[in-house]
């Protein structure tokens, strides 16, 4: 079985920073893309950032220059450094990874979600 465990969410004031982490564990043969989505109640989940296995990154326009996605392949972990946070960044953040488990089928897995609230 494969499990993704997130950490690092919380309450922060506008202009502040948070760092999210997400570790994949279990019967994993190979990991391809890793990244983050977020969801505001009543809206669709949107892609925030992702990083490929080779380290190429892509960001949603509203977070460019403020957020940085990175990964530690030795730890099967993806990070999201969020700086200059704004109230509109408030959402539940979900990590994901596209990986090959020992069962032999490439599959997307999701973390449990972590709440990020930006408010004074």
């Amino acid at each position: 079985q494969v499990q993704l465990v997130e950490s690092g969410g919380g309450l922060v004031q506008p202009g502040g920073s948070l760092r999210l982490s997400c570790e994949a564990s279990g019967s994993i043969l190979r990991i391809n893309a890793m990244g983050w989505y977020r969801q505001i109640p009543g809206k669709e989940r949107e892609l925030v950032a992702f990083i490929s296995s080779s380290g190429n990154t892509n960001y949603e326009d509203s977070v460019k220059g403020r957020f940085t996605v990175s990964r530690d392949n030795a730890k099967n972990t993806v990070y999201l450094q969020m700086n200059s946070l704004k109230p509109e960044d408030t959402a539940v953040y979900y990590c994901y990874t596209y990986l090959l488990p020992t069962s032999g089928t490439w599959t997307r897995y999701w973390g449990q979600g972590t709440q990020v609230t930006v408010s004074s």
Side-chain angles (χ1 to χ4, degrees):
Q1 291 184 347
V2 174
Q3 186 177 5
L4 270 61
V5 178
E6 301 181 32
S7 61
L11 173 64
V12 64
Q13 292 187 343
S17 298
L18 282 175
R19 189 191 194 208
L20 306 182
S21 300
C22 174
E23 180 181 5
S25 62
S27 303
I28 300 170
L29 291 179
R30 184 174 174 185
I31 296 179
N32 196 337
M34 306 182 83
W36 298 88
Y37 279 71
R38 65 186 178 187
Q39 188 167 25
I40 300 169
K43 294 190 176 183
E44 292 188 358
R45 194 175 293 190
E46 67 172 0
L47 179 63
V48 176
F50 75 85
I51 181 167
S52 71
S53 57
S54 59
N56 293 321
T57 59
N58 198 12
Y59 297 91
E60 195 269 329
D61 285 345
S62 70
V63 307
K64 288 180 179 177
R66 300 188 298 121
F67 291 10
T68 303
V69 61
S70 60
R71 62 193 286 171
D72 184 333
N73 291 329
K75 297 180 179 179
N76 290 342
T77 299
V78 61
Y79 306 95
L80 186 67
Q81 178 67 44
M82 304 184 292
N83 299 328
S84 302
L85 282 160
K86 304 176 180 180
E88 51 264 42
D89 295 318
T90 296
V92 178
Y93 284 71
Y94 297 90
C95 68
Y96 81 93
T97 181
Y98 191 58
L99 63 80
L100 180 64
T102 55
S103 61
T105 302
W106 284 95
T107 305
R108 176 174 291 198
Y109 290 86
W110 293 93
Q112 79 278 15
T114 186
Q115 177 69 46
V116 171
T117 302
V118 184
S119 175
S120 55

